[in-house]
Amino acid sequence: MSAKRLILNLFEMSTPTHITHGLWRLPGNNRHRYTDIGYWQELAVLLEEGGFDAVFLADVVGAYDVYRDGFDDALREGLQIPNTDPLLVVPAMAAVTRRLGFGVTFSTSYEPPFAFARRMSTLDHLTRGRVGWNVVTSYLPNAARNFGLADEIPHDERYEIAEEYLDVLYKLWEGSWDDDAVVRDATGGVYSDPTKVRRIDHVGRRFRVAGPHLSEPSPQRTPVLFQATASPAGIALAGRHAEVVFTGTWGGPIRPTVEAIRRSAVEQGRAASDIKVLVQASVFVAPTDDEARATYARYRAYRSEIGRYVHSSTPFDPTLHDPSATVGQALAAEGRESGLVPPSLRRMTVAQYSEAVDEAWNERFQAIGNPARVADTIERWLEEDGIDGINLRQYHSFDTALGFARLATPELRRRGLLPPADEPPATLRERVFGAGPRLPDSHPARRYRNGRSL
Amino acid sequence: MSAKRLILNLFEMSTPTHITHGLWRLPGNNRHRYTDIGYWQELAVLLEEGGFDAVFLADVVGAYDVYRDGFDDALREGLQIPNTDPLLVVPAMAAVTRRLGFGVTFSTSYEPPFAFARRMSTLDHLTRGRVGWNVVTSYLPNAARNFGLADEIPHDERYEIAEEYLDVLYKLWEGSWDDDAVVRDATGGVYSDPTKVRRIDHVGRRFRVAGPHLSEPSPQRTPVLFQATASPAGIALAGRHAEVVFTGTWGGPIRPTVEAIRRSAVEQGRAASDIKVLVQASVFVAPTDDEARATYARYRAYRSEIGRYVHSSTPFDPTLHDPSATVGQALAAEGRESGLVPPSLRRMTVAQYSEAVDEAWNERFQAIGNPARVADTIERWLEEDGIDGINLRQYHSFDTALGFARLATPELRRRGLLPPADEPPATLRERVFGAGPRLPDSHPARRYRNGRSL
């Protein structure tokens, strides 16, 4: 019996193909129903009953267009295009659930913070405090060109923008309204007490925002802050801001990254336990090991090679080269700069590269077998790798989540890795940290409480 | 029996006080529940059962801060602050309805068109084609300062921006994806046919947007285009773009405005019937005239004088002056410029001004009485005033809508003014125009169809 609690999210995106390229073609897969409100409501009920903490919704605001110099392959693969806005499926799912959380991706790169602040407060109200925000900075060149820019914003500048963006949001979410501002005094005719609401008057390098925030305080105020990162700049940002970090390696050991993330938090005056660390994981569970392996093999036959090149923005065409040639040779043969691919990948053969860039079939966090075997494997990740939870990859919608819910969840509950089914509803932050609904005092956003430091 | 069909919308906003100042204090009023998903779902079911075509959701992205030089009174009145984002309540309502439409207000002034295009396509998918967009340009000075500007954008410039904003959206909604672009060919491994999807490469004075649109074609593509206006610049924009115009006068005859709107459409090569005209209206209906009048009197006792000054951005303080003084005198006494108030209002007494600025109690479109009397009055508006429908003002949530649904709707259905309860579900455009789900060929957006004119 492990004392550690598993954070269990489903990794999802409102699009035909998210990360499991080619698998929309699997018989019975519901991925083409992503525009249907019923898809999201069925999924939400299934996840809540299956003990999932949250559905983690990825997003992009442009098309992948590096591989073969265009987005034709992305369209053919249904690879993250077409897609729809992830924020708008949350209210539909919230309406049919009471416990499930929602981690929504939104980029700090292109849209005004004032409007986004209200959107997240609205979601936090409508979900009764079950919303998280996956803070990302945008990287797709096509996305930049959809928002008036000539090309993507340089990496360091994106992080500078993100820092100020977060600061504006914290002022609005934490500092603009006091907890007791809304009095609803019908006799005195006072809805809100104006002495407890204030402008933020933010004037920074990038943003000028007056306020006040338009939304009254929501259950969590600041949504649970997710961040997906593995880069040094990302880890520095996470140490300061993130509550849940979604990270990964490409096959190597994860522990150094986990430790770097926790160390970064401590360096910022926070506790190592203030950050939960998640990884992407695959779980193929069935009543018997043989059946689980058969499902794995059946799904794997639907992989799309082109899909993985599109998704990894491969800057050459592996299909044109001898699989035993190196990537460096392939780049040279196409007359492309070697710097387009990092040295570690450049030294690989084309065949090795092709496997390395396909995260969904990476064997590092992969559990295949009967419920006990799968639970043993997950328990080992928690103990040996030092992670706190997983974003479960979907290969088949809804069979992947359904299989986990029916077979893995009962076993994980027996072992105390997941809370019992009758755990009372709570906010996402309470659920993840077992503490209150608001950010802890150690978080930098809290310095704005009651309008201080504004 | 009238041949004309009434378009019936509820006028709503996600805030304690929208236009009926002070009435949140009415016993049993649910307005304080605006942050609760249950509020929106109960309301939606009630409206659908009551034969409403749509709920029309107003919005502001700043606080009213002209009256008494600040937003303290707006806060005390709960007047459009606090509020939440109207787009996000639509999926919750869509989940429990099949016929009800949603007219959502969004301003062209501050947020990037590319992101908004996807939001509306997402809503059109999730609602199965039941969404409309109320196109507004923002006017609150505080709103401008929330989005990095020093002051509001001048009126004419706002309309120039709106024109280009609409053009970008039309290209994305109508031109970027062909109807048959999504093929979902599992055998061939083709989700979308790239020969039928294209960038828009918009380069204009204000916006540069590459595309392609991220969303596949939704049932209506372009949402039903609502516009609220009575100004000459607004009517010109409406003649070119709007399908439903929400207009008003301050007590005077409406017919000249209705005719100006239809004339504007004809001047742009559209049909006069391509635009439906709505007005704000009050309906107090009860089994007997006496009961209806009693409800009216009871509600009216809760009016807030301060609320109407906040909402109308009154640039002086009527509570400090003799009610028989003129507004011009009051302005002079406060040392304020006379030009802050239009001449027609400046000549009024302070007492007259105070009534004139309170639209919610204006008697022009007001029906009070038993079901037959109310239906007679509404029928007269349709025939004599030449309007097509109403945005029903709410005085009490949900009693106003409930009373209409239970008492007025059956009478209006008997007269053929509202369709029968078992009318099959359809898109909002089909419901309003009795034609197809897409914009008619006479609309300027349609020139981008299949990528032509891009």
Side-chain angles (χ1 to χ4, degrees), chain A residues 193-223:
Chain A
D193 177 351
T195 67
K196 294 175 174 170
V197 182
R198 58 195 70 84
R199 290 200 307 271
I200 63 163
D201 287 329
H202 176 89
V203 180
R205 273 194 63 201
R206 313 271 178 178
F207 302 108
R208 297 174 71 94
V209 180
H213 189 34
L214 293 173
S215 172
E216 61 182 280
S218 65
Q220 300 184 120
R221 287 184 176 263
T222 299

CSV table of all heavy atoms in Angstrom, one decimal, chain A residues 193-223:
chain,number,residue,atom,x,y,z
A,193,ASP,N,-19.6,46.2,-2.3
A,193,ASP,CA,-19.1,47.3,-1.5
A,193,ASP,C,-17.9,47.9,-2.2
A,193,ASP,O,-16.9,47.3,-2.4
A,193,ASP,CB,-18.7,46.7,-0.1
A,193,ASP,CG,-18.0,47.8,0.8
A,193,ASP,OD1,-17.8,48.9,0.3
A,193,ASP,OD2,-17.8,47.5,2.0
A,194,PRO,N,-18.1,49.1,-2.7
A,194,PRO,CA,-17.0,49.7,-3.6
A,194,PRO,C,-15.7,50.0,-2.8
A,194,PRO,O,-14.7,50.1,-3.5
A,194,PRO,CB,-17.6,51.1,-4.0
A,194,PRO,CG,-18.8,51.3,-3.2
A,194,PRO,CD,-19.3,50.0,-2.6
A,195,THR,N,-15.7,50.0,-1.5
A,195,THR,CA,-14.4,50.2,-0.8
A,195,THR,C,-13.6,48.9,-0.9
A,195,THR,O,-12.4,48.9,-0.5
A,195,THR,CB,-14.7,50.5,0.7
A,195,THR,OG1,-15.2,49.4,1.4
A,195,THR,CG2,-15.6,51.8,0.8
A,196,LYS,N,-14.2,47.8,-1.3
A,196,LYS,CA,-13.5,46.5,-1.4
A,196,LYS,C,-13.2,46.0,-2.8
A,196,LYS,O,-12.9,44.8,-3.0
A,196,LYS,CB,-14.2,45.5,-0.6
A,196,LYS,CG,-14.3,45.9,0.9
A,196,LYS,CD,-15.1,45.0,1.8
A,196,LYS,CE,-14.9,45.4,3.2
A,196,LYS,NZ,-15.8,44.8,4.1
A,197,VAL,N,-13.3,46.9,-3.8
A,197,VAL,CA,-13.1,46.6,-5.2
A,197,VAL,C,-12.2,47.8,-5.7
A,197,VAL,O,-12.4,48.9,-5.4
A,197,VAL,CB,-14.4,46.6,-6.0
A,197,VAL,CG1,-14.1,46.2,-7.5
A,197,VAL,CG2,-15.4,45.6,-5.4
A,198,ARG,N,-11.2,47.4,-6.5
A,198,ARG,CA,-10.2,48.5,-6.9
A,198,ARG,C,-9.7,48.2,-8.3
A,198,ARG,O,-9.6,47.0,-8.8
A,198,ARG,CB,-9.1,48.6,-6.0
A,198,ARG,CG,-8.3,47.3,-5.7
A,198,ARG,CD,-7.5,47.4,-4.5
A,198,ARG,NE,-8.2,47.4,-3.3
A,198,ARG,CZ,-8.7,46.3,-2.7
A,198,ARG,NH1,-8.5,45.1,-3.2
A,198,ARG,NH2,-9.4,46.3,-1.6
A,199,ARG,N,-9.2,49.2,-9.0
A,199,ARG,CA,-8.5,49.1,-10.2
A,199,ARG,C,-7.1,48.4,-9.9
A,199,ARG,O,-6.7,48.5,-8.8
A,199,ARG,CB,-8.3,50.4,-10.9
A,199,ARG,CG,-9.5,51.1,-11.4
A,199,ARG,CD,-9.1,52.2,-12.5
A,199,ARG,NE,-8.2,53.1,-11.9
A,199,ARG,CZ,-8.5,54.2,-11.3
A,199,ARG,NH1,-9.8,54.5,-11.1
A,199,ARG,NH2,-7.5,55.0,-10.8
A,200,ILE,N,-6.5,47.9,-11.0
A,200,ILE,CA,-5.2,47.4,-10.8
A,200,ILE,C,-4.1,48.4,-11.3
A,200,ILE,O,-3.0,48.4,-10.9
A,200,ILE,CB,-5.0,46.0,-11.4
A,200,ILE,CG1,-5.2,46.0,-12.9
A,200,ILE,CG2,-5.9,45.0,-10.7
A,200,ILE,CD1,-4.6,44.7,-13.6
A,201,ASP,N,-4.5,49.2,-12.3
A,201,ASP,CA,-3.6,50.1,-13.0
A,201,ASP,C,-2.3,49.6,-13.3
A,201,ASP,O,-1.2,50.2,-12.9
A,201,ASP,CB,-3.5,51.4,-12.1
A,201,ASP,CG,-4.8,52.2,-12.1
A,201,ASP,OD1,-5.5,52.2,-13.1
A,201,ASP,OD2,-5.1,52.8,-11.1
A,202,HIS,N,-2.3,48.4,-13.9
A,202,HIS,CA,-1.0,47.8,-14.4
A,202,HIS,C,-0.4,48.6,-15.5
A,202,HIS,O,-1.1,48.8,-16.5
A,202,HIS,CB,-1.2,46.4,-14.8
A,202,HIS,CG,0.0,45.7,-15.3
A,202,HIS,ND1,0.9,45.1,-14.5
A,202,HIS,CD2,0.5,45.7,-16.6
A,202,HIS,CE1,1.9,44.6,-15.3
A,202,HIS,NE2,1.7,45.0,-16.5
A,203,VAL,N,0.8,49.0,-15.4
A,203,VAL,CA,1.6,49.6,-16.5
A,203,VAL,C,2.9,48.9,-16.6
A,203,VAL,O,3.8,49.1,-15.7
A,203,VAL,CB,1.8,51.1,-16.2
A,203,VAL,CG1,2.6,51.8,-17.4
A,203,VAL,CG2,0.5,51.9,-16.0
A,204,GLY,N,3.1,48.1,-17.6
A,204,GLY,CA,4.3,47.4,-17.8
A,204,GLY,C,4.9,47.6,-19.1
A,204,GLY,O,4.5,48.5,-19.9
A,205,ARG,N,5.9,46.8,-19.5
A,205,ARG,CA,6.6,46.9,-20.8
A,205,ARG,C,5.6,46.5,-21.9
A,205,ARG,O,5.7,47.1,-23.0
A,205,ARG,CB,7.8,46.0,-20.8
A,205,ARG,CG,9.0,46.6,-20.3
A,205,ARG,CD,10.3,45.8,-20.7
A,205,ARG,NE,10.4,45.8,-22.2
A,205,ARG,CZ,11.1,44.8,-22.8
A,205,ARG,NH1,11.7,43.9,-22.2
A,205,ARG,NH2,11.3,44.9,-24.1
A,206,ARG,N,4.8,45.5,-21.6
A,206,ARG,CA,3.9,45.0,-22.7
A,206,ARG,C,2.5,45.3,-22.6
A,206,ARG,O,1.7,45.4,-23.5
A,206,ARG,CB,4.0,43.4,-22.7
A,206,ARG,CG,5.4,42.9,-22.6
A,206,ARG,CD,6.0,42.7,-24.0
A,206,ARG,NE,7.3,42.2,-23.9
A,206,ARG,CZ,8.1,42.0,-24.9
A,206,ARG,NH1,7.6,42.1,-26.1
A,206,ARG,NH2,9.3,41.5,-24.8
A,207,PHE,N,2.0,45.5,-21.3
A,207,PHE,CA,0.6,45.6,-21.1
A,207,PHE,C,0.3,46.8,-20.2
A,207,PHE,O,1.0,47.1,-19.3
A,207,PHE,CB,0.0,44.3,-20.5
A,207,PHE,CG,0.3,43.1,-21.2
A,207,PHE,CD1,1.2,42.2,-20.8
A,207,PHE,CD2,-0.4,42.9,-22.4
A,207,PHE,CE1,1.5,41.0,-21.6
A,207,PHE,CE2,-0.2,41.7,-23.2
A,207,PHE,CZ,0.7,40.8,-22.7
A,208,ARG,N,-0.9,47.5,-20.5
A,208,ARG,CA,-1.4,48.5,-19.7
A,208,ARG,C,-2.9,48.1,-19.4
A,208,ARG,O,-3.7,48.0,-20.4
A,208,ARG,CB,-1.5,49.8,-20.4
A,208,ARG,CG,-0.1,50.4,-20.7
A,208,ARG,CD,-0.2,51.7,-21.6
A,208,ARG,NE,-0.7,52.8,-20.7
A,208,ARG,CZ,0.1,53.7,-20.1
A,208,ARG,NH1,1.4,53.6,-20.2
A,208,ARG,NH2,-0.5,54.6,-19.4
A,209,VAL,N,-3.2,47.8,-18.2
A,209,VAL,CA,-4.6,47.3,-17.9
A,209,VAL,C,-5.1,48.0,-16.6
A,209,VAL,O,-4.5,48.0,-15.6
A,209,VAL,CB,-4.5,45.8,-17.6
A,209,VAL,CG1,-5.9,45.3,-17.3
A,209,VAL,CG2,-3.9,45.0,-18.8
A,210,ALA,N,-6.2,48.7,-16.8
A,210,ALA,CA,-6.8,49.5,-15.7
A,210,ALA,C,-7.5,48.7,-14.7
A,210,ALA,O,-7.3,48.8,-13.5
A,210,ALA,CB,-7.7,50.6,-16.3
A,211,GLY,N,-8.4,47.8,-15.1
A,211,GLY,CA,-9.3,47.2,-14.1
A,211,GLY,C,-10.4,48.2,-13.7
A,211,GLY,O,-10.5,49.3,-14.2
A,212,PRO,N,-11.3,47.8,-12.8
A,212,PRO,CA,-11.2,46.6,-12.0
A,212,PRO,C,-11.5,45.3,-12.8
A,212,PRO,O,-12.0,45.4,-13.9
A,212,PRO,CB,-12.3,46.8,-10.9
A,212,PRO,CG,-13.3,47.7,-11.6
A,212,PRO,CD,-12.5,48.6,-12.5
A,213,HIS,N,-11.2,44.2,-12.2
A,213,HIS,CA,-11.6,42.9,-12.8
A,213,HIS,C,-13.1,42.9,-12.9
A,213,HIS,O,-13.8,43.4,-12.0
A,213,HIS,CB,-11.1,41.7,-11.9
A,213,HIS,CG,-11.3,40.4,-12.5
A,213,HIS,ND1,-11.1,40.1,-13.8
A,213,HIS,CD2,-11.6,39.2,-11.9
A,213,HIS,CE1,-11.3,38.8,-14.0
A,213,HIS,NE2,-11.6,38.2,-12.8
A,214,LEU,N,-13.7,42.3,-13.9
A,214,LEU,CA,-15.1,42.3,-14.1
A,214,LEU,C,-15.8,41.2,-13.3
A,214,LEU,O,-17.0,41.4,-12.9
A,214,LEU,CB,-15.5,42.2,-15.6
A,214,LEU,CG,-15.1,43.4,-16.4
A,214,LEU,CD1,-15.3,43.1,-17.9
A,214,LEU,CD2,-15.8,44.7,-16.0
A,215,SER,N,-15.1,40.2,-13.0
A,215,SER,CA,-15.7,39.1,-12.3
A,215,SER,C,-15.5,39.2,-10.8
A,215,SER,O,-14.5,39.6,-10.3
A,215,SER,CB,-15.1,37.8,-12.8
A,215,SER,OG,-15.6,36.7,-12.0
A,216,GLU,N,-16.6,38.9,-10.0
A,216,GLU,CA,-16.4,38.8,-8.6
A,216,GLU,C,-15.5,37.5,-8.3
A,216,GLU,O,-15.4,36.7,-9.1
A,216,GLU,CB,-17.8,38.7,-7.9
A,216,GLU,CG,-18.6,37.5,-8.3
A,216,GLU,CD,-20.0,37.5,-7.6
A,216,GLU,OE1,-20.0,37.1,-6.4
A,216,GLU,OE2,-21.0,37.9,-8.2
A,217,PRO,N,-15.0,37.4,-7.1
A,217,PRO,CA,-14.1,36.3,-6.8
A,217,PRO,C,-14.8,34.9,-7.0
A,217,PRO,O,-15.9,34.7,-6.5
A,217,PRO,CB,-13.7,36.5,-5.3
A,217,PRO,CG,-13.9,37.9,-5.0
A,217,PRO,CD,-15.1,38.4,-5.9
A,218,SER,N,-14.1,34.1,-7.7
A,218,SER,CA,-14.6,32.7,-8.0
A,218,SER,C,-14.0,31.8,-6.9
A,218,SER,O,-13.1,32.2,-6.1
A,218,SER,CB,-14.2,32.3,-9.4
A,218,SER,OG,-12.8,32.2,-9.5
A,219,PRO,N,-14.5,30.5,-6.9
A,219,PRO,CA,-14.1,29.7,-5.8
A,219,PRO,C,-12.5,29.5,-5.6
A,219,PRO,O,-12.1,29.6,-4.5
A,219,PRO,CB,-14.7,28.3,-6.2
A,219,PRO,CG,-15.9,28.7,-6.9
A,219,PRO,CD,-15.6,29.9,-7.7
A,220,GLN,N,-11.8,29.4,-6.7
A,220,GLN,CA,-10.4,29.3,-6.6
A,220,GLN,C,-9.6,30.6,-6.8
A,220,GLN,O,-8.4,30.7,-6.7
A,220,GLN,CB,-9.8,28.3,-7.6
A,220,GLN,CG,-10.4,26.9,-7.4
A,220,GLN,CD,-9.7,25.9,-8.4
A,220,GLN,OE1,-9.1,24.9,-8.0
A,220,GLN,NE2,-9.8,26.1,-9.7
A,221,ARG,N,-10.3,31.7,-7.2
A,221,ARG,CA,-9.7,32.9,-7.8
A,221,ARG,C,-8.8,32.5,-8.9
A,221,ARG,O,-9.2,32.3,-10.0
A,221,ARG,CB,-9.0,33.7,-6.7
A,221,ARG,CG,-9.9,34.4,-5.7
A,221,ARG,CD,-9.0,35.2,-4.7
A,221,ARG,NE,-9.8,36.0,-3.8
A,221,ARG,CZ,-10.1,37.3,-4.0
A,221,ARG,NH1,-9.7,37.9,-5.1
A,221,ARG,NH2,-10.9,37.9,-3.1
A,222,THR,N,-7.5,32.4,-8.7
A,222,THR,CA,-6.6,31.9,-9.7
A,222,THR,C,-6.8,30.4,-10.0
A,222,THR,O,-6.8,29.6,-9.0
A,222,THR,CB,-5.1,32.1,-9.2
A,222,THR,OG1,-4.9,33.5,-9.0
A,222,THR,CG2,-4.1,31.6,-10.3
A,223,PRO,N,-7.0,30.1,-11.2
A,223,PRO,CA,-7.2,28.6,-11.5
A,223,PRO,C,-5.9,27.9,-11.2
A,223,PRO,O,-4.9,28.5,-11.1
A,223,PRO,CB,-7.5,28.6,-13.0
A,223,PRO,CG,-6.9,29.9,-13.6
A,223,PRO,CD,-7.0,30.9,-12.5
